[in-house]
Amino acid sequence: MRLLNSSNLQLKYFASNRIPPYAILSHTWGEDEDEVLFADVERGSAKGKPGYEKIRYSCEQAAAHNFEYVWIDTCCIDKSSSAELSEAINSMYSWYKRASICYAYLADVPANVDTEALNSPFSNSRWFKRGWTLQELIAPSKMIFFSDKWTKIGTKSTLHDILAKITGVDVGVLTGVMDLESTSLAKRMSWASHRATTRIEDIAYCLMGLFDVNMPLLYGEGEKAFIRLQEEIMKHSDDQSLFAWTDPGAATGSYHGLLAKSPVQFVNSSKIVPYRDWEPSAPFSISNKGLRIELHLSPYEKDLYVAALECPAPPDYEGFLGIYLTRISTESHQYARVKPQALCKIAVRGRIETVYVRQYVLTTGPQDLYPLHAFQLRKGPTRDDGYELIRIVSSSPKHMPAPLLSSHTQQWVKRWQSTFKISKENGRLAGALLFERIDGERLIVLLGSTTDFGIGFEVASASDIENYMELKESFNPQPPGNVMILKNHQVRVNAEPRVHAGVKYYMVDIVIEAIYHARNPIDLIKEIMPRQQSQLDQRPPNTTVKPSRGFGRFKHLLSLDNLRPS
């Protein structure tokens, strides 16, 4: 550790077992060219820089408190040495904790400030918004706050209540009564949610001390630094509040990993705490399949599950805090986090399962390519719905993939093969399904491929599939999820991807609704009147004319909205 002599402003290096008592400075950086750096002190050119006043006053305060040495980050680290910079950043928290006293210099706060007011220059100081100053606030046992003119405005012990309101850090942590390790991971992350750093990676590096972890510095890795920080934390802690973050701006339907991308996503997590019941469970681990973890899963809908975290749900702490996971692959137990806009609450947790969650999940592109793509018919109309499947024709009848679902669950398919191979060429028909309505009306649902290895469907009116080759030539698929309307039918096809045994299946659900048209009353009259006239012509002479049954039926028909398929 290199220290600055408070009397002659000379730097001196000390081995870790020979470090003398020292004071330490906490401040916010100005422009790099204004700060006094290591090279400036070595060359004796420090006095010519605007940042020199900070150095001088820090040394004067240290000397006044009988400290021969002071540590200041701007000039006590040779940042031209990546090894020294890495050692300093990894040691920063312990250096502040080991310091006999810390001077917090707030360059934007006047001496006459009201430190107890929440909307004062003190509470709004830039010092409370920077990432590095969080650990510099928590680590030292003694801290004095100074104004822009180096006037003392308070200490951490006298200002702990307002400091807790400004920063969210517990009073017990600030005063040293509460062990930092006793606070949840989510709460510690929330303390950094309103802070920023100049370099993206530093928002992770400035938090290493708060979680008692060390890792190499890799400037240029961007957001991955924060992911690495969480992975290091998981090596030492099984606190599942680490997964209790939210992302209100996430795109609907997007896939996510279990780890947050930034402390900002913990902004609403300060009240989340874990519980300990010492249940036997496997440790978290990172593999090439993603984060391996055992979670209690409860089915929610289709392949969507609620994973109960080992955290009671605030604010009443009744029930379990939950996150949403969707199953991507059955065989490899691959899941992804979805709906991260909010957390959920579940009263009874489900069965414990081992899941793998990749941090980065692609939803399009090369990952979508598998050796074989196939349609798997899953849900479709039955006679109870007014339609019946009466025939299926496939483009590749000799190369059918194995069904993913049992025939017991596919009764509407009957004897027909429930899977078709999908061509990876654009606009290729894979199969045709002929449906018949209870009144004899028929339609065909066509399934096939689109651009970029996608899938689609089309609907056509037809009495049979004998003209299958013509259907192949004219196939113009639309994306699944859309509704296609014919004169007498409305059809919607949904498709959900699922991977099994190297095959990418699209689970197909078909919904068909009949469209009925009102009969023209004039047509009804023309249909009925000839029958009435025929009966009149057959009456014996002098017969009393009474309303016939046909006339009664005619009146009945006119009194109804007589709807029938046209």
Side-chain angles (χ1 to χ4, degrees):
M1 182 182 193
R2 189 181 288 108
L3 295 172
L4 185 68
N5 189 292
S6 61
S7 300
N8 58 26
L9 275 67
Q10 296 297 307
L11 291 168
K12 186 175 180 178
Y13 181 81
F14 294 91
S16 58
N17 59 343
R18 294 182 179 275
I19 297 174
Y22 61 92
I24 199 165
L25 176 66
S26 174
H27 68 112
T28 56
W29 279 53
E31 298 297 329
D32 285 355
E33 59 268 21
D34 293 340
E35 297 294 344
V36 175
L37 306 179
F38 171 78
D40 298 321
V41 176
E42 289 289 279
R43 289 194 301 259
S45 58
K47 292 183 179 181
K49 288 200 161 187
Y52 178 72
E53 290 300 300
K54 256 189 305 197
I55 306 299
R56 183 171 67 86
Y57 277 108
S58 298
C59 289
E60 288 180 1
Q61 291 295 331
H65 289 108
N66 297 315
F67 293 108
E68 186 178 358
Y69 293 98
V70 63
W71 188 87
I72 303 173
D73 60 349
T74 58
C75 61
C76 290
I77 305 172
D78 180 5
K79 296 180 178 63
S80 65
S81 168
S82 58
E84 182 173 333
L85 179 62
S86 180
E87 178 187 0
I89 290 179
N90 274 276
S91 306
M92 196 81 71
Y93 185 85
S94 63
W95 287 353
Y96 274 89
K97 188 178 183 65
R98 185 172 179 172
S100 300
I101 192 167
C102 178
Y103 305 133
Y105 173 58
L106 280 55
D108 53 355
V109 176
N112 61 349
V113 68
D114 180 2
T115 56
E116 296 301 320
L118 270 178
N119 194 23
S120 69
F122 178 72
S123 62
N124 292 328
S125 173
R126 183 169 177 261
W127 191 86
F128 292 110
K129 297 176 174 64
R130 305 305 296 169
W132 292 104
T133 54
L134 176 59
Q135 65 176 358
E136 295 167 14
L137 169 68
I138 293 172
S141 58
K142 294 181 180 180
M143 174 177 275
I144 302 176
F145 288 89
F146 291 92
S147 71
D148 57 346
K149 302 301 183 183
W150 282 88
T151 301
K152 179 180 175 181
I153 56 178
T155 67
K156 186 162 72 167
S157 60
T158 60
L159 298 173
H160 57 68
D161 287 331
I162 187 66
L163 290 173
K165 291 177 182 178
I166 295 170
T167 64
V169 180
D170 300 67
V171 170
V173 172
L174 293 173
T175 58
V177 174
M178 182 188 300
D179 186 359
L180 182 61
E181 292 296 321
S182 67
T183 60
S184 72
L185 298 180
K187 172 175 280 193
R188 276 176 268 174
M189 289 293 187
S190 74
W191 298 340
S193 61
H194 295 290
R195 294 175 178 262
T197 56
T198 302
R199 303 190 69 167
I200 296 175
E201 298 85 355
D202 282 340
I203 199 61
Y205 303 155
C206 73
L207 298 177
M208 291 191 292
L210 293 183
F211 298 97
D212 195 23
V213 299
N214 298 100
M215 62 185 196
L217 309 187
L218 299 174
Y219 284 107
E221 65 177 328
E223 289 181 347
K224 290 181 181 179
F226 191 67
I227 301 298
R228 280 204 300 130
L229 173 68
Q230 295 169 89
E231 291 174 350
E232 288 297 323
I233 292 171
M234 288 190 297
K235 293 178 182 178
H236 306 279
S237 174
D238 61 355
D239 177 358
Q240 292 187 6
S241 73
L242 184 64
F243 312 129
W245 52 270
T246 56
D247 185 2
T252 302
S254 56
Y255 288 174
H256 303 263
L258 287 181
L259 304 180
K261 294 181 179 179
S262 163
V264 172
Q265 296 177 337
F266 288 93
V267 67
N268 297 315
S269 302
S270 62
K271 301 297 183 184
I272 296 172
V273 297
Y275 67 83
R276 298 282 187 270
D277 60 4
W278 311 112
E279 294 177 284
S281 61
F284 311 158
S285 62
I286 303 294
S287 72
N288 58 0
K289 289 186 176 181
L291 172 60
R292 181 188 184 278
I293 185 173
E294 291 183 351
L295 293 171
H296 291 270
L297 300 185
S298 300
Y300 187 70
E301 58 183 30
K302 290 187 179 180
D303 284 336
L304 188 64
Y305 299 84
V306 173
L309 302 179
E310 292 180 354
C311 304
D316 56 6
Y317 298 101
E318 294 287 339
F320 299 88
L321 192 66
I323 58 176
Y324 295 102
L325 298 181
T326 188
R327 184 171 56 191
I328 298 175
S329 169
T330 307
E331 288 295 298
S332 58
H333 303 283
Q334 284 285 333
Y335 290 76
R337 184 172 175 189
V338 291
K339 302 175 69 173
Q341 294 85 353
L343 303 171
C344 61
K345 180 178 180 178
I346 186 169
V348 180
R349 61 186 186 177
R351 185 179 63 184
I352 192 167
E353 293 189 30
T354 299
V355 303
Y356 293 86
V357 184
R358 285 191 171 95
Q359 186 58 32
Y360 302 101
V361 183
L362 298 176
T363 56
T364 58
Q367 182 172 334
D368 281 340
L369 279 177
Y370 288 82
L372 182 62
H373 293 186
F375 286 113
Q376 165 70 72
L377 302 179
R378 181 168 61 181
K379 295 180 181 179
T382 64
R383 285 194 65 83
D384 293 337
D385 302 313
Y387 288 86
E388 184 177 13
L389 179 64
I390 60 173
R391 189 179 178 190
I392 292 179
V393 175
S394 168
S395 296
S396 306
K398 296 182 179 180
H399 301 91
M400 294 290 193
L404 195 57
L405 302 176
S406 67
S407 59
H408 176 72
T409 62
Q410 302 298 104
Q411 294 183 3
W412 68 279
V413 180
K414 300 180 181 179
R415 67 184 185 278
W416 307 105
Q417 179 77 18
S418 64
T419 60
F420 330 124
K421 178 183 175 182
I422 305 174
S423 171
K424 294 185 174 67
E425 296 181 42
N426 177 31
R428 298 296 295 273
L429 184 61
L433 290 74
L434 179 63
F435 290 92
E436 184 176 75
R437 200 165 64 182
I438 54 176
D439 62 350
E441 276 280 338
R442 290 184 175 186
L443 76 153
I444 299 175
V445 176
L446 308 171
L447 302 174
S449 61
T450 60
T451 58
D452 299 325
F453 312 108
I455 58 161
F457 78 102
E458 190 182 14
V459 182
S461 295
S463 59
D464 208 338
I465 317 181
E466 297 302 331
N467 57 344
Y468 187 75
M469 295 305 297
E470 294 181 13
L471 294 173
K472 289 178 67 174
E473 293 296 327
S474 62
F475 182 53
N476 182 28
Q478 303 298 314
N482 291 328
V483 174
M484 297 192 71
I485 299 176
L486 301 177
K487 181 180 179 182
N488 300 320
H489 317 279
Q490 178 174 288
V491 183
R492 183 176 71 253
V493 175
N494 295 323
E496 179 185 5
R498 183 181 297 180
V499 178
H500 175 80
V503 180
K504 182 173 185 178
Y505 289 90
Y506 287 93
M507 313 301 287
V508 175
D509 300 332
I510 301 174
V511 179
I512 307 177
E513 297 178 2
I515 298 176
Y516 293 100
H517 303 277
R519 295 284 311 269
N520 189 328
I522 300 301
D523 294 337
L524 293 175
I525 294 173
K526 291 179 179 179
E527 178 181 326
I528 295 170
M529 287 303 295
R531 293 200 297 268
Q532 307 305 319
Q533 184 63 45
S534 175
Q535 293 177 9
L536 289 172
D537 292 343
Q538 297 175 10
R539 286 178 299 169
N542 304 320
T543 302
T544 303
V545 178
K546 296 181 179 180
S548 69
R549 290 184 180 180
F551 183 71
R553 177 170 174 264
F554 170 65
K555 286 175 63 181
H556 173 69
L557 289 171
L558 289 181
S559 66
L560 296 176
D561 261 336
N562 186 44
L563 297 179
R564 84 173 194 188
S566 61

